Amino acid sequence: MLYRENGQFKTTYQADQQIFPITQDKLLILALLAFAFIAVPWGASEYLLRAMLIPFLILSLAALGLNILVGYCGQISLGTGAFMAVGAYAAYNFMVRIDSMPLVVAVLLGGVCATAVGVVFGIPSLRIKGYYLAVATLAAQFFCDWAFLRIPWFTNNTPSGSVNVSELNVFGWVVNTPAEKYLLCLAFVALFALLAKNLVRSHIGREWMAMRDMDVAASVIGIRPVYAKLTAFAVSSFFVGVAGALWGFVHLGSWEPAAFNIDRSFQLLFMVIIGGLGSIMGSFFGAAFIVVLPIVLDNLPYWFGIPIDTALASHLTIMIFGSLIVFFLIVEPHGLARLWSVGKEKLRLWPFPH
């Protein structure tokens, strides 16, 4: 259908292309999603799903939430493991104490509880920033570790302090096999990644980035620091809480507070830094680097038939892994996402790099 705009005749197809432009990046993402949803569940082995893909998806979701806070809003946090623990234990209590509670609803409610805790510990960000804020969020980690270990109500009065879930039922669909667990995690990650992409491109996302770049100038032009910082903490904690619930219910099945200790917080922070601050794709790159690479390095000598002692292989894995982290941070401080964008640009111009 023809219509006139600015003295030129255009078709509705052209208008649709302007409103919903189909770029090469979108086509690549759609192809990856189709491959992940269709080919991977049927072709991947049980070990690959349990040891690599499911942890990668869940930690990608947690890194995505942390990236919203650290990469887009510029607020340093070392309490991400605590917010994951809040999401996991809150979802567990909803499942135990409310009859016929759907799993998806319990996971989302766990994210809501993590949001409340994140906002409480995000209040100091209104007065302090930098290393002082990192120490304040670190207090959340120690407080949650103490609470889930010492208060029996959170663990349903179990003597050992550990909790376990028996069956995963998603609206009548019993999730048992690794492929079904993988599809459940992939659905959560795809929806939350789409939500994060739209959030950072909206007005609230622009407010977060303004606070990150220069908070004084942002407040001068009318951006409210209280609203911007607390919404960043709330959204980040919600994402991380949902990831924590999935980590406990889908990946672990049974867990204790040590599963969400401070090592988990540092691991997620390394994912964000290595993958790329302020990048949705960087969260996935960082998670792949942290989760997949150590497993590959552990199995590399056996794949090539190299006789090597198990203890030596473990030490070599740690050494190579640490060296690669330092190398990537020196070569590209903006993370793997920046290397990916530079590589795409060079391929687009090849063989004429001008």
Side-chain angles (χ1 to χ4, degrees), residues 157-174:
N157 299 305
T158 55
S160 63
S162 62
V163 299
N164 64 294
V165 290
S166 57
E167 184 180 87
L168 303 179
N169 193 316
V170 182
F171 301 114
W173 171 39
V174 179

Side-chain angles (χ1 to χ4, degrees), residues 129-276:
K129 58 183 178 180
Y131 299 112
Y132 302 99
L133 180 59
V135 173
T137 55
L138 189 61
Q141 181 69 54
F142 294 130
F143 175 78
C144 290
D145 285 347
W146 173 86
F148 295 128
L149 191 62
R150 300 297 181 185
I151 302 177
W153 186 87
F154 291 118
T155 59
N156 198 25
N157 299 305
T158 55
S160 63
S162 62
V163 299
N164 64 294
V165 290
S166 57
E167 184 180 87
L168 303 179
N169 193 316
V170 182
F171 301 114
W173 171 39
V174 179
V175 181
N176 285 325
T177 64
E180 292 172 339
K181 294 180 179 179
Y182 163 81
L183 288 173
L184 177 63
C185 295
L186 182 59
F188 268 100
V189 173
L191 290 175
F192 275 81
L194 180 62
L195 176 61
K197 187 68 174 178
N198 285 281
L199 277 174
V200 299
R201 295 165 68 179
S202 65
H203 71 282
I204 184 61
R206 291 191 291 271
E207 290 183 3
W208 292 340
M209 288 182 276
M211 295 300 301
R212 174 197 63 191
D213 296 335
M214 190 174 291
D215 54 352
V216 176
S219 61
V220 168
I221 63 175
I223 295 176
R224 295 170 293 171
V226 175
Y227 177 77
K229 291 182 179 181
L230 290 186
T231 51
F233 268 97
V235 174
S236 172
S237 301
F238 180 71
F239 278 57
V240 172
V242 171
L246 291 176
W247 185 261
F249 277 69
V250 179
H251 178 57
L252 298 178
S254 62
W255 70 92
E256 55 186 9
F260 305 99
N261 57 12
I262 193 172
D263 292 339
R264 185 71 61 200
S265 299
F266 281 112
Q267 183 187 43
L268 292 169
L269 186 61
F270 292 155
M271 288 181 189
V272 172
I273 294 174
I274 295 170

Side-chain angles (χ1 to χ4, degrees), residues 297-321:
L297 291 176
D298 279 335
N299 292 281
L300 202 59
Y302 305 104
W303 292 342
F304 288 96
I306 301 174
I308 188 171
D309 184 60
T310 305
L312 178 61
S314 177
H315 290 301
L316 286 176
T317 298
I318 296 174
M319 293 170 60
I320 296 172
F321 184 64

